[in-house]
Amino acid sequence: QVQLVESGGGLVQAGGSLRLSCAASGSIESINAMGWYRQAPGKQRELVAAITSGGSTNYADSMKGRFTISRDNAKNTVYLQMNSLKPEDTAVYYCKAERLVFGVRQNYWGQGTQVTVSS
């Protein structure tokens, strides 16, 4: 099992910045990728950014150039630096960890952290 605890959400004005953190604990040795997703009211959950254990990153097109995902392996923590925030970035942001155990993919989710961007 993997436990994920997110932090760093809040209220910010448009154009501002926030940094989200996701601390992983438990069976972290098998985690091969972690990522951030978001879900706005009435919308489906969507990928924001992901990072593999090797450091490769992937971003949704609308976040490229504004958001940066990074990880601190010593702290078992993944970060999402969000700059130039827009009101449409308002959503609950979730951290996800993916493990591969004997070839079977297992996904774990955090509880989510609210990000609200005011215009």
Side-chain angles (χ1 to χ4, degrees), residues 43-74:
K43 295 188 177 181
Q44 289 188 330
R45 191 171 296 188
E46 62 175 351
L47 172 71
V48 175
I51 186 166
T52 68
S53 57
S56 297
T57 58
N58 181 40
Y59 295 90
D61 288 342
S62 61
M63 286 63 151
K64 289 180 180 177
R66 298 190 301 125
F67 293 5
T68 303
I69 190 170
S70 61
R71 63 193 296 166
D72 184 334
N73 291 330

Side-chain angles (χ1 to χ4, degrees), residues 61-115:
D61 288 342
S62 61
M63 286 63 151
K64 289 180 180 177
R66 298 190 301 125
F67 293 5
T68 303
I69 190 170
S70 61
R71 63 193 296 166
D72 184 334
N73 291 330
K75 295 182 178 180
N76 302 317
T77 300
V78 171
Y79 304 97
L80 183 69
Q81 177 67 42
M82 304 185 293
N83 298 327
S84 302
L85 283 162
K86 306 173 183 180
E88 50 264 42
D89 293 318
T90 295
V92 178
Y93 284 69
Y94 297 91
C95 179
K96 174 188 166 185
E98 177 185 287
R99 293 176 67 204
L100 283 178
V101 181
F102 300 111
V104 178
R105 184 173 299 172
Q106 300 176 349
N107 293 322
Y108 299 87
W109 294 90
Q111 80 284 358
T113 185
Q114 177 70 46
V115 171

Side-chain angles (χ1 to χ4, degrees), residues 4-21:
L4 302 172
V5 178
E6 300 119 330
S7 61
L11 173 64
V12 65
Q13 289 188 333
S17 299
L18 281 175
R19 189 176 82 154
L20 306 182
S21 301

